[in-house]
Amino acid sequence: MTGYILKRLLSAIPVLLGITVIVFLIMAMIPGDPATAILGSYATPDNVEKLNRDLGLDKPLVAQYFIWLGNMLTGDFGTSFALNRPVLDEVLERFNATLILAGTAFLICSVLGIIAGVVSASRQYGFADKSITFAVLLGISIPSFFLGMMMILFFSVNLRWFPVSGMWPVYGDRNLWVLLNHLTLPALALAVVATGVIARLSRSAMLEVLRQDFIRTARAKGVHERGVIWRHALKAAMVSIIPVLGIQAGFVLSGAVYIEMVFQWPGVGRMLVDAILKRDILLVQGGVVFVAACYVLFNIAVDVAQSLLDPRIKT
Amino acid sequence: MTAFFRLLARNRLALAGLIVMTVVVILALLTPLLPLADPDVTDTGNRFQPPFSEGALLGTDHLGRDLLSRLMWGTRLSLAVGFAAAIAAATIGAAIGIIAGFYGGRTDNIIMRGVDMLMAFPYILLALAIVAALGPGLLNALIAVAAVNVPFFARNIRGITVGIAHKEFVDAARLAGLSNARIILTEILPNVVPVIVIAMSTTIGWMILETAGLSFLGLGSQPPQADLGSMLGEARSALITNPHTSIVPGVMILIIVMSINLLGDGIRDALDPRLKSGALSRPMAATNVDRKETPPAATGRGLLEVQALETQFHVKNRVYKAVGGVDLHVEPGECLGIIGESGSGKSVTALSVMGLVASPPGVITGGAVRYEGEDLVGAPYRKLRSMRGKNVAYIFQDPLATLHPLYKVGDQLIEAIRSHRPIGKDEGRKTAIELLKSVRIPNPEKRISDYPHELSGGMRQRVGIAMALANEPDIIIADEPTTALDVTVQAQILSLLDDLRRSRGLAIVFITHDFGVVAQLCDRVAVMYAGRIIEEGTTAEVLENPMHPYTARLMACVPELGEGKRRLEAIRGLPPVVDKLPPGCAFADRCERVQDVCRQGEIPLEGEEGRAVRCLFPVTEPPPADAKPAQSQEAAE
């Protein structure tokens, strides 16, 4: 198993390099002088020249890439001009908040989605199945940012159950209870679409598995129907559900950008949008590379989980 | 194609989606012609008018602009951008996919590596990076959304192209000396266009949502121009005081995306042939029972008695009579063979005993299955479950498919026991090892922690048998347990079953299509054809002196060693389809002894002392081994 994990980690290296190349190439599309773009149009010529030298922007493109890459490998992602602090510090702090939000949402959508899919499949064409199917359709059609706004309106403004926005209260203690109180609405709003997709896929994966011979075997030996569905069928269906969980994690991470805007959550998504609007290029660059790299590593974890579940995968 | 549309139309939700989408598109197209207020004229004196107010049906926004007008123009813009992004992504993606798939080799490798890299991003990060580079703006948002979706199309279309690029007609075009560009345009493209269109139709909703999202973040359309997303984004600051300015564009996005999703689902379902046949139905825990008549009274014959059993498959409006009135019984310790071609109903009969016929579509429509005199057809599920594996156990055909691939064989054995009585961990392990030993699996202490795929076919079937023995049942129903195995392994399994039966006093119902196996193992045999028993008797009687022409011909199909040159006789024709059985004898069309009366009405299974045949003109002498099936055979050809 350790060997397999190592192998997967090694195979991630070209992907990670590819990600840096892509980000670098996209940033190279910036029209005009990058230093001016980074410093803004009010920059003095001296500063522009200094930055060009610091970033190695006076060198050829390939050399620039390797300088940038080398700096990142030593933990130097550059300095955000708008915030005047190291990019990595800012990204790490913001990513922490995003991780709390997206992680909770991922947990919610995985658990709810799978349960809904299994229930739906085991009551195929019944009332529960039809209700779930309809709820899923609604869930995957509603834009998460609109849903978030409506949730604020209903649960925060009308019912006053939850705070309207933010991660922490401006004054007062910062404990888990306060965090959960702030987290509930955004995490739910973020989880809805992915829950729908996972429920849908779990349902069809379950239907596929329930028709297979080993299910009949389980029934023939007298396993209770609960065991047939939740042990035998679900375990086999997980083989096709887990990769989708990996993909949905990417969507949850993406959707977090909208939810962070709606709920004023101090995460990396809101940081990126602000950075784009302020043309804080280095912050965008660093943030994108960092989050994408984390996502790649997460997907390796998904593969490892898959190989733990399915002994037929050669490790 | 018409069938496709009919199917689509029958899906009411999809139709509703199509109608709503059409209305929205038409309204968006007509927007410039409609008598609407100018969407960009501000009137701060009249800001935040509620809906249904004078001169503004949906009210006004924070700058006093008419919401209805802005909604219509915004919808128009959102749709246009979404469609444009979809078309751009589909075109570029398809071009990349076709090139990769057509040229293959290194080109393919490099392109697909790049595509994989792009797919390694959470999509919005890529879009944000692109917008960051190009600067905020609707066109840039469109480019970003299109670019992010290119990999999806490239990968799909590449897959299709690879399949086509090696077809004969492409080879023919190559041999004819056409240039690659010509081949791609005239041979490949026409075949992938439908796939492109379908992929596009299912992603358009997504594209609209994504561009609206970027606009919502303030990275797309810039004021005063507004699509639905930026309307929502602008309204966000007034969410609490004037929610209607948010609700109006939000609901519109919901309507558009939902109708596209409904339509997309409808298209997907219409294209999936499995849905048409109902093959995606989940089998219930026990077979449905729908008996019209009261079951026959118990006769007290045998440990297990099947009486006039009828099992049907209801698929759409067709009824397949898989089992059409079968009577059987097994005594304790006896081995009964059921023999017949595939589709003769032997497996369905066996599965009906414990309600294991997949249902839907299976339904038991008549008869009774009695275990020690008690009718199990229509018994509550709890009753059936408690008997499955404990009183009547099954061994199935293909042990690779019938064992759970993700559980260790030991755990599967222990589970079989635990389903009927609580058992501790150590005891379970010990019992599992004992069971594996009893079916002569070498080194059982190690084997219990193997997964099914780590065992050979013969070993897997031994595990299957061990599982059937786990609760010491009285009856084992073995459904072609040796068919998937090679001959030497088959012989081992058969002798194992025979030993177990003698040492444990097991009754075995053995289902097979192989007379050799029957001869080796069974005391009595029943021959099935088209869902009914057509002959039964002791194995010796039936094998030496088959009475039904079908049995006789079936046996003539078996080659025998040392019999010299003998012509192997296939039975001409095919068994009848069980949804339209002919009146009278089901074998009549394939029979050489057929006369007119054979086709008129029911022929009973008649005989005495367990030797019976369902034939008006039974064979009395065994057919000469070298008899020519003369005219009939030639007539068939």
Side-chain angles (χ1 to χ4, degrees):
Chain A
M1 186 45 70
T2 326
Y4 177 71
I5 297 175
L6 273 179
K7 213 169 68 190
R8 292 295 291 114
L9 282 174
L10 281 179
S11 74
I13 290 175
V15 179
L16 290 171
L17 284 178
I19 283 173
T20 58
V21 171
I22 290 170
V23 172
F24 181 79
L25 287 179
I26 291 174
M27 291 306 157
M29 293 192 311
I30 298 173
D33 182 12
T36 316
I38 289 170
L39 292 176
S41 44
Y42 301 113
T44 62
D46 280 357
N47 282 343
V48 170
E49 198 187 326
K50 181 175 178 297
L51 187 69
N52 271 333
R53 223 177 23 247
D54 287 355
L55 298 176
L57 294 180
D58 45 354
K59 302 207 172 68
L61 213 56
V62 178
Q64 282 179 35
Y65 169 73
F66 283 107
I67 291 169
W68 177 62
L69 186 67
N71 285 344
M72 275 200 305
L73 288 177
T74 59
D76 176 12
F77 280 59
T79 306
S80 154
F81 90 90
L83 303 166
N84 197 19
R85 80 184 281 208
V87 165
L88 191 60
D89 293 1
E90 177 73 7
V91 170
L92 281 175
E93 190 181 313
R94 296 296 203 109
F95 190 66
N96 191 31
T98 297
L99 214 54
I100 292 173
L101 173 64
T104 312
F106 182 67
L107 216 63
I108 295 174
C109 71
S110 307
V111 173
L112 281 187
I114 291 173
I115 291 177
V118 172
V119 170
S120 202
S122 56
R123 309 237 193 297
Q124 195 189 14
Y125 303 134
F127 178 73
D129 183 27
K130 282 181 178 150
S131 322
I132 289 173
T133 306
F134 182 75
V136 161
L137 185 75
L138 202 65
I140 59 173
S141 301
I142 194 162
S144 59
F145 40 94
F146 179 55
L147 178 68
M149 289 162 76
M150 292 302 109
M151 282 170 110
I152 290 177
L153 211 53
F154 189 70
F155 293 107
S156 301
V157 178
N158 279 355
L159 295 176
R160 297 181 173 276
W161 284 358
F162 298 101
V164 171
S165 66
M167 184 167 167
W168 301 108
V170 183
Y171 305 105
D173 293 340
R174 297 192 163 192
N175 54 35
L176 185 67
W177 168 248
V178 170
L179 178 63
L180 285 179
N181 203 20
H182 281 79
L183 183 61
T184 308
L185 283 190
L188 281 177
L190 180 53
V192 161
V193 177
T195 307
V197 176
I198 292 171
R200 210 172 227 215
L201 188 105
S202 306
R203 178 181 184 268
S204 62
M206 283 292 286
L207 287 178
E208 197 72 47
V209 166
L210 279 168
R211 287 163 33 232
Q212 296 196 0
D213 287 350
F214 58 81
I215 295 300
R216 190 182 59 193
T217 310
R219 287 181 173 148
K221 66 185 186 186
V223 177
H224 199 281
E225 188 64 8
R226 264 198 322 272
V228 171
I229 301 234
W230 292 98
R231 273 206 315 276
H232 286 251
L234 181 56
K235 185 157 189 178
M238 282 309 283
V239 171
S240 36
I241 296 175
I242 283 183
V244 172
L245 292 185
I247 296 171
Q248 285 309 308
F251 281 90
V252 167
L253 210 49
S254 296
V257 177
Y258 303 120
I259 297 300
E260 286 170 7
M261 289 301 275
V262 171
F263 288 90
Q264 303 289 313
W265 192 266
V268 81
R270 220 176 100 210
M271 176 200 85
L272 284 176
V273 174
D274 288 345
I276 292 172
L277 292 173
K278 289 181 189 148
R279 315 273 306 139
D280 192 348
I281 301 300
L282 285 177
L283 191 54
V284 176
Q285 219 171 20
V288 169
V289 169
F290 184 84
V291 178
C294 289
Y295 180 58
V296 169
L297 293 180
F298 177 80
N299 268 319
I300 292 176
V302 170
D303 286 350
V304 172
Q306 181 83 332
S307 74
L308 285 177
L309 172 75
D310 191 345
R312 291 167 300 180
I313 294 176
K314 290 230 161 48
T315 57
Chain B
M1 203 63 190
T2 41
F4 166 73
F5 277 114
R6 218 176 301 137
L7 213 68
L8 188 60
R10 220 179 42 212
N11 186 335
R12 265 173 299 168
L13 283 173
L15 195 64
L18 181 66
I19 291 169
V20 172
M21 197 57 219
T22 315
V23 170
V24 171
V25 169
I26 290 176
L27 282 176
L29 288 175
L30 292 180
T31 299
L33 305 175
L34 296 176
L36 291 167
D38 188 318
D40 296 335
V41 168
T42 55
D43 176 10
T44 37
N46 277 323
R47 61 203 292 256
F48 292 131
Q49 292 289 318
F52 307 111
S53 49
E54 183 85 33
L57 191 58
L58 293 178
T60 58
D61 70 359
H62 61 292
L63 295 174
R65 296 174 291 196
D66 180 42
L67 262 183
L68 177 65
S69 169
R70 284 182 73 72
L71 179 71
M72 299 295 291
W73 284 95
T75 305
R76 187 176 153 89
L77 193 59
S78 273
L79 285 179
V81 175
F83 274 97
I87 288 171
T91 313
I92 299 169
I96 293 173
I98 288 176
I99 290 172
F102 182 76
Y103 289 99
R106 182 178 275 179
T107 320
D108 184 28
N109 220 330
I110 291 173
I111 292 180
M112 290 325 286
R113 275 289 155 82
V115 165
D116 285 345
M117 302 267 170
L118 286 173
M119 287 186 122
F121 280 90
Y123 76 91
I124 201 161
L125 280 185
L126 202 54
L128 287 180
I130 294 172
V131 173
L134 300 178
L138 190 56
L139 185 64
N140 294 341
L142 191 158
I143 293 172
V145 169
V148 168
N149 283 288
V150 162
F152 164 78
F153 284 97
R155 189 180 265 190
N156 273 1
I157 301 302
R158 174 194 169 267
I160 307 288
T161 311
V162 168
I164 296 172
H166 299 288
K167 287 259 168 72
E168 295 81 357
F169 62 88
V170 177
D171 289 337
R174 278 208 191 92
L175 288 176
L178 294 185
S179 68
N180 282 336
R182 262 304 278 292
I183 296 176
I184 287 175
L185 286 178
T186 58
E187 307 293 335
I188 307 271
L189 196 57
N191 284 296
V192 294
V193 161
V195 185
I196 299 176
V197 170
I198 288 163
M200 220 172 77
S201 73
T202 52
T203 48
I204 275 188
W206 187 230
M207 308 258 188
I208 292 175
L209 208 55
E210 281 173 65
T211 42
L214 286 178
S215 289
F216 173 79
L217 296 175
L219 306 176
S221 73
Q222 302 294 316
Q225 186 194 44
D227 68 356
L228 294 173
S230 57
M231 281 178 75
L232 202 52
E234 285 170 21
R236 193 164 62 89
S237 50
L239 171 67
I240 293 169
T241 49
N242 292 283
H244 73 275
T245 51
S246 303
I247 293 174
V248 165
V251 168
M252 192 60 177
I253 302 179
L254 177 61
I255 289 175
I256 293 175
V257 177
M258 186 140 171
S259 60
I260 292 179
N261 281 341
L262 280 172
L263 188 59
D265 289 355
I267 291 176
R268 200 194 51 205
D269 291 355
L271 289 174
D272 192 340
R274 289 180 306 178
L275 283 164
K276 285 183 228 172
S277 60
L280 273 184
S281 293
R282 109 182 191 65
M284 313 283 278
T287 311
N288 287 333
V289 174
D290 181 18
R291 280 190 294 198
K292 298 281 184 291
E293 288 158 20
T294 45
T299 61
R301 273 198 313 172
L303 178 61
L304 178 77
E305 185 178 21
V306 173
Q307 297 170 298
L309 179 74
E310 287 178 28
T311 306
Q312 306 180 338
F313 291 105
H314 294 180
V315 181
K316 290 248 176 95
N317 34 26
R318 285 197 167 168
V319 174
Y320 297 87
K321 295 177 183 163
V323 178
V326 161
D327 293 86
L328 289 171
H329 68 278
V330 204
E331 303 291 345
E334 186 187 31
C335 179
L336 170 71
I338 304 180
I339 194 163
E341 291 171 278
S342 25
S344 59
K346 52 194 196 306
S347 289
V348 179
T349 306
L351 290 173
S352 298
V353 170
M354 282 285 121
L356 288 170
V357 179
S359 179
V363 189
I364 297 177
T365 51
V369 173
R370 294 185 187 280
Y371 179 84
E372 290 181 335
E374 191 184 352
D375 189 9
L376 301 178
V377 172
Y381 168 70
R382 285 175 53 186
K383 171 89 186 156
L384 271 181
R385 187 199 73 79
S386 69
M387 292 185 68
R388 288 174 177 175
K390 186 154 180 276
N391 303 96
V392 181
Y394 283 84
I395 303 169
F396 295 107
Q397 178 174 342
D398 175 6
L400 185 59
T402 53
L403 291 177
H404 197 296
L406 308 182
Y407 283 109
K408 293 173 182 162
V409 294
D411 292 342
Q412 301 196 41
L413 282 170
I414 295 169
E415 190 192 24
I417 305 165
R418 199 172 275 160
S419 299
H420 297 288
R421 62 187 166 94
I423 184 171
K425 209 179 165 195
D426 290 340
E427 198 198 342
R429 190 186 138 85
K430 233 176 67 202
T431 323
I433 292 174
E434 284 300 311
L435 281 167
L436 290 184
K437 220 177 263 170
S438 70
V439 291
R440 297 175 206 152
I441 288 183
N443 204 357
E445 292 83 3
K446 268 195 77 187
R447 290 284 92 89
I448 55 165
S449 26
D450 277 354
Y451 289 96
H453 71 277
E454 294 170 327
L455 300 174
S456 69
M459 285 300 145
R460 278 197 290 265
Q461 192 55 289
R462 284 166 197 267
V463 172
I465 295 172
M467 216 152 76
L469 294 173
N471 293 292
E472 299 180 350
D474 306 316
I475 302 173
I476 283 188
I477 299 181
D479 188 357
E480 306 213 28
T482 57
T483 307
L485 306 175
D486 64 48
V487 185
T488 46
V489 181
Q490 175 173 335
Q492 292 166 7
I493 297 284
L494 287 178
S495 79
L496 172 65
L497 277 175
D498 203 38
D499 290 353
L500 290 170
R501 168 192 160 210
R502 288 179 203 287
S503 60
R504 302 186 177 217
L506 270 173
I508 296 182
V509 177
F510 199 95
I511 294 157
T512 181
H513 56 253
D514 186 343
F515 271 111
V517 172
V518 168
Q520 217 175 322
L521 200 63
C522 301
D523 305 314
R524 283 188 303 121
V525 61
V527 183
M528 281 191 76
Y529 186 78
R532 320 187 81 172
I533 291 178
I534 52 151
E535 178 165 7
E536 64 180 348
T538 63
T539 308
E541 283 170 344
V542 173
L543 291 191
E544 277 160 28
N545 191 11
M547 288 167 79
H548 197 285
Y550 173 69
T551 318
R553 295 303 301 268
L554 204 58
M555 286 176 59
C557 296
V558 182
E560 278 175 60
L561 269 181
E563 290 283 308
K565 276 192 196 164
R566 192 188 64 160
R567 187 169 162 177
L568 273 183
E569 295 178 25
I571 305 177
R572 69 198 165 100
L574 291 168
V577 187
V578 285
D579 68 330
K580 348 179 223 255
L581 283 177
C585 178
F587 187 60
D589 286 346
R590 301 168 81 185
C591 184
E592 287 161 29
R593 308 166 72 91
V594 64
Q595 307 210 3
D596 282 349
V597 281
C598 292
R599 303 183 196 274
Q600 290 160 7
E602 203 51 35
I603 298 163
L605 181 67
E606 279 179 328
E608 53 196 32
E609 292 298 303
R611 178 86 180 106
V613 64
R614 195 189 290 277
C615 183
L616 297 175
F617 308 101
V619 187
T620 40
E621 290 293 309
D626 55 355
K628 277 207 162 181
Q631 306 96 339
S632 58
Q633 190 78 7
E634 272 141 39
E637 288 156 8

